[in-house]
Amino acid sequence: MTRAERLAILGPETVAAIKARVALAPEPPEELVEELRRIIFSPARELPAPQPATDSEPGTR
């Protein structure tokens, strides 16, 4: 969805109210920003070990 589409759906007053609320939020700690940056830019860096199938899983009867 483009900015123009969001603006058309929400209206300029709603967008302005959202921006005003966002401006009130405190800045996140740098540690959190760095952790989120790693997740967003490299989400598959560490994959969990595969779990063995069990009889209780759907479709394994």
Side-chain angles (χ1 to χ4, degrees):
M1 181 178 294
T2 66
R3 286 183 177 189
E5 291 170 328
R6 285 192 300 271
L7 181 60
I9 292 170
L10 297 173
E13 298 84 13
T14 302
V15 172
I18 292 169
K19 288 181 179 183
R21 288 287 301 265
V22 169
L24 296 174
E27 291 294 320
E30 187 58 37
E31 299 84 25
L32 175 61
V33 172
E34 186 57 35
E35 185 174 338
L36 291 173
R37 189 175 287 129
R38 280 186 257 133
I39 292 169
I40 292 169
F41 292 111
S42 186
R45 184 176 291 168
E46 293 181 21
L47 297 175
Q51 300 295 316
T54 64
D55 290 338
S56 62
E57 291 183 15
T60 59
R61 291 184 182 184

